[in-house]
Amino acid sequence: MAERKIETGIKDLKEKLWRAKHIAVLTGAGISAESGVPTFRGEGGLWKQFRAVDLATPEAFSRDPKLVWEFYNWRRELISTLSPNPGHFALAEIERRIPRFTLITQNIDGLHKKAGSRNIIELHGNLWLVRCTGCETVREDMRVPIPELPMCESCGSLLRPHVVWFGEMLDPLVLNSAYEAIAGCDLMMVIGTSGTVQPAASMGVQAKRNGAAVAEINLEPTPYSDLYNISICGKSGEILPQLL
Ligand code: BJW
Ligand code: ZN
């Protein structure tokens, strides 16, 4: 029964996908799970092991920047050894075959780019960028690990990860380009996100309100599954290649 539902979902999605002129995709931690990147919530999730308020807020960084850098250095070490999975590669292939394609990701791991995706909007920043807390300069920094308490070459202030923590605004230019894609697409795919963190969580519903068909691919149902046109329960690394 469940398998039948997955098959029908894939068939429906394939029909919509290859007719679409502009596709927007929103990805979350689930798309990288099969590469070995831990998700945030649920079984084995980072926020089961660590408290988000201690590690992913501006207050946590002001209180204990060394601890926060240790957390990001641990993730740099892990992610530097990992590779994109068939889900990432399938999205890159779909982008090559569709006239307009926008990939909006909440992930900071850089795996979509590694897989060959090009038009990527990183809502929550990037693990491999650092930002100066003084002069705001953003630089790529691939060092693993980054030395304890890294300082800005230009002004000597403390550097921080160029990511968006809880309570921080998303970059308005980045957010606007995501909303443009959501407003203009005829199909949106929402993949591997629990839909708990705003503003990303509402993007699928906004696309639907704007007239797009919305399809979800997730290991399990989410609070939005019934609102979308198609909901496929399964691993994105297994479902996405079947769309090609
Ligand atoms: C698979 C799979 C497989 C597993 N295949 N699927 C409105 C209402 C209430 C609160 C707010 C609101 N607006 C803003 C807020 C506050 C807050 C928020 O949303 N809080 C909620 C928790 C309630 N939002 C913010 O603070 C945001 N800022 C903002 O909006 O500014 C304006 C503002 C501020 C304050 C008040 C009001 C307005 C910023 C959010 C920044 C999030 N940052 C993090 C850390 C980034 C850096 C880092 O990585 O270190 O981003 S938190 C973390 O969650 C990370 C993720 O990008 C994000 C989303 O997680 P995601 O991707 O959904 O992962 P999971 O683990 O939750 O889910 C994985 C899913 O995959 C599951 O569903 C699995 O089933 C599935 N899965 N394997 C397919 N193989
Ligand atoms: Zn500086």
Side-chain angles (χ1 to χ4, degrees), residues 1-12:
M1 182 64 187
E3 262 171 38
R4 185 81 201 281
K5 206 172 162 228
I6 295 172
E7 266 173 38
T8 319
I10 292 173
K11 190 170 162 277
D12 286 356

Side-chain angles (χ1 to χ4, degrees), residues 157-198:
S157 303
L158 182 61
L159 296 174
R160 57 163 282 176
H162 185 55
V163 301
V164 183
W165 287 320
F166 283 114
E168 292 189 311
M169 304 295 275
L170 279 70
D171 180 331
L173 292 176
V174 170
L175 197 54
N176 272 345
S177 50
Y179 284 135
E180 256 176 44
I182 289 162
C185 69
D186 35 32
L187 172 68
M188 178 150 178
M189 295 197 277
V190 179
I191 305 169
T193 176
S194 59
T196 29
V197 174
Q198 298 291 353

